[in-house]
Amino acid sequence: MMDQNAHAAHAFWLYQLMHLIIFSSLPPTYWGTLIIIWGNFPDIDALFHLLRKKDPNDMNFQHHLEYWTHWPISYIPIFLMAIISWILNWQSEFFLFLVVGIISHLIADSACCGDGLMWRKIPWKSNQFSPFVN
């Protein structure tokens, strides 16, 4: 399973590359902290798990399937806001943090985690699993 450093590194380097391609410059160095935070954001469900479960080493827990933070459909409002900000040329660099961080995390989890990811999760349907499970 991937660790948090890998999620942070993927988000950071992907953001650096995209900022260079889109805005023709490297971002300010202090923005690296923000992209690292957003690259790790979907794993905030680990905190929920610790509060809910008594055994933090429970290997039956599949947080990629249980919590909304790993359901791509949960981030549609952020993606729509990013598109609108790009069209209106308003704070588009800020929304790039969010989108790149979250997307890089979800893609890495899809490729490297054994329990897969619910790319087609619909919140009102229970027990719907991802068609892509490694």
Side-chain angles (χ1 to χ4, degrees):
M1 182 179 271
M2 283 184 136
D3 63 7
Q4 294 312 105
N5 295 329
H7 286 308
H10 294 148
F12 179 80
W13 291 113
L14 184 60
Y15 181 76
Q16 294 285 324
L17 178 65
M18 289 188 71
H19 195 283
L20 187 61
I21 290 170
I22 295 171
F23 300 106
S24 300
S25 67
L26 288 173
T29 54
Y30 62 89
W31 286 4
T33 305
L34 292 174
I35 190 60
I36 287 169
I37 289 170
W38 283 105
N40 285 315
F41 177 77
D43 278 339
I44 197 168
D45 58 11
L47 178 62
F48 302 146
H49 174 62
L50 288 175
L51 294 173
R52 192 174 134 198
K53 305 278 185 181
K54 293 184 180 183
D55 181 12
N57 298 317
D58 180 12
M59 298 309 288
N60 294 323
F61 173 64
Q62 296 184 349
H63 67 119
H64 297 119
L65 304 177
E66 279 192 37
Y67 289 106
W68 65 269
T69 58
H70 277 91
W71 301 342
I73 196 169
S74 302
Y75 299 105
I76 287 177
I78 292 173
F79 300 150
L80 291 176
M81 288 176 13
I83 291 168
I84 291 169
S85 75
W86 180 261
I87 291 169
L88 298 177
N89 196 21
W90 178 77
Q91 301 293 328
S92 56
E93 291 174 296
F94 171 75
F95 285 102
L96 191 61
F97 289 149
L98 305 175
V99 171
V100 170
I102 292 167
I103 286 290
S104 68
H105 184 108
L106 297 177
I107 289 172
D109 279 354
S110 290
C112 300
C113 294
D115 54 355
L117 204 66
M118 289 194 193
W119 281 100
R120 298 186 324 189
K121 170 68 178 164
I122 299 172
W124 55 87
K125 288 188 176 181
S126 60
N127 298 325
Q128 179 185 356
F129 290 92
S130 168
F132 178 74
V133 176
N134 353 357

